[in-house]
Amino acid sequence: MANLLYRLGRFSYQRRRLVTAIWVFVLVLLGVGSLTLGGKTANTFSIPGTESQRALDALKTELPAASGASATIVVKAPAGQTLTTPAVKAAVGAAVAKANQLPEVVGAVDPFTSKAISPDGTTGLINVQFTKPADELAKTTTTAYDELDALSSGDLQVVPGGQIVGGAPPLGITEVIGVVIAAVVLVITFGSLVAAGMTLLTALAGVLAGMAGLFLVTAVVDVSSTAPILALMLGLAVGIDYSLFISSRHRSQLAEGMDEEESVARATATAGSAVLFAGATVVIALAGLSLVGVPFLTAMGLAAAATVLTAVLVAVTLLPALLGFIGPRVLPRKLRKPGAAAVKTARGFGFRWARLVTRLRVPIVAVGIIGLGVLAIPTQDMRLALPDGASAAAGTNQRVAYDLAAAAFGPGSNGPLVVVVRSDDPAKTGALVEQVLAKTKGLKDVAAVQPGPASANGTTRLVTVIPTGGPASEQTAELVKDLRNVIHPLASGDETISVTGNTAVGVDVSNKLTAALPLYLIVVIGLSFLLLLLAFRSILVPLKATLGFLLTIGATFGITVAVFQKGWGASLLGVDSPGPLVSFLPIIMMGILFGLAMDYEVFIVSRVREEFVHGRAATEATIEGVGHGARVVTAAALIMAAVFAGFMFAPDPVIKTVGFGLTIGVLIDAFVVRMTLVPAVLTLLGNRAWFFPQWLDRITPKVDIEGDSLHVRETPDKQLVTVD
């Protein structure tokens, strides 16, 4: 491995113009392709094979008018008037007529026909049925629907609601601030504007390539609207970190007098090996999301994994080329002067911290484990649901419509359940519908039950059930379960009775993701354990890394639940309505944080092992490894946290929660687990940390992540250079 990367780094340095030109060509090609051929992202969540999805699929052929997306426009009369006031009623009619004129709309039903008027007569619901599912609607359609709020006047308030407005959430100034903070940290770390700018440039190149490729893929594959943002935040963070790690190794070697070309090649071989293994763990964790069997989650994971893979390729090819262009300017000015070479790096805070941790290893391990365990306590109260109008940003049409409907009709009006009744005979279907109505009315948490439309031949009919609770409430999730339990036994033979609708889809998604977590953890952690075993040739080190991750994820989930679900300090982040976490948050955060945790594990422990295999005692190797890596890992963690923190203040609640969770997770893992608990545990284990059975050593491929095979190599001027 080290020899291969050594040759790649030297080639990129020597042929830097060619390598840079290739990357520019690739970026232009992907950019043009994404702009001309790229499709659009989707804002729907479905899982093939679930009851709710099977029912929706069947409706496409049996009752097409009900198989497309549906939305609700809330209309409210001015104070002191009702919807029956002549001027207000005329305004309602105008709104219905405008909705009927929208493209891809089957029809809009006024509240007087559907009887969807509040008891006080001030609020009504205009039901709008579209010809296609939400993710298939044209952008012009969703935009025109959202702009119906322009119909509001002194006679009537018109607010289009529902979950049909798709597209990736827009980026704001807060995300840019995160990048600016990252740039400041880089300048402080490197002491050179040129070096900091080069690191940002390589990270941006990787992100642009990954994002352009992602939007190009949307032409043929459905991609969630959250996927580009996830790929952006992760690709930018790891891109900066990977470039930082290799550049820092190159700088330290130049400062000690190593030849420039040799230093680039060696930094790519040693630090590049760590980057390759760190990137591989991230890619495994993200690509492992495809094991869950959820299409939108698979797309999110693969999109982020592709962006991380691109960041790794940029770090081991484009970065060495750029290092060749900037030459000694990668160093601070004081180290570029004649005679400044061969200056030994000062043993600063990292070494003092490592000695303190190793000396107080027992209390540090005890306090660390107990403290992280306490932070994880709120995790036991975690509730999951898909986002709905209640979680939308304040002031948006979705949120305003949700609040108006909930106040007038109850929260359940925002998430009705749909029961699909089918048989081979219209009379049988009618009889089943009557039984369903009778059974459903007797259930608790049911506000109303109404018979719905039927297919042309009468063999398929719908029943609408209005819950008393909101779409994301626990009682509604229980109602879906109870409803299925009482109506499923009514069907026999070819008869089928299914519960569907956006709320039922959300319940099915949450159940599917919860059931898939154990398999996901076993496979991803198992594969990563084998990868770390291969890299470090140790059994206890990969085991320690995995246990440390479990502490990280527990504490991260606990804090996230406390803020976003329980509302502790939520107002500081602009969260005005705490509620359940989005269903896919746990598995997404597990995947990303596991990969990032292994990043820091590889960055620190690879240097510790390098010192150990080169003859240092276990404790001294730990001090040397942590001491040398502390500055880089600290900078990397601060940069990654800054990038993620920029997304904490995004208006989209999903992005806000993911940004917060990743920020907290990175800080905990880097500073509490990897920089504190890891050296303490390594010191407790001593030489046993590096025990590797001989039989396993014989059958395990040697990848030489420490660059042992490069211990002595000639420079171009025939001088021998040795690695510390």
Side-chain angles (χ1 to χ4, degrees), residues 452 624 693:
E624 289 291 316

Side-chain angles (χ1 to χ4, degrees), residues 80-99:
Q81 302 184 50
T82 66
L83 296 180
T84 56
T85 303
V88 177
K89 189 171 184 177
V92 172
V96 173
K98 186 66 174 178

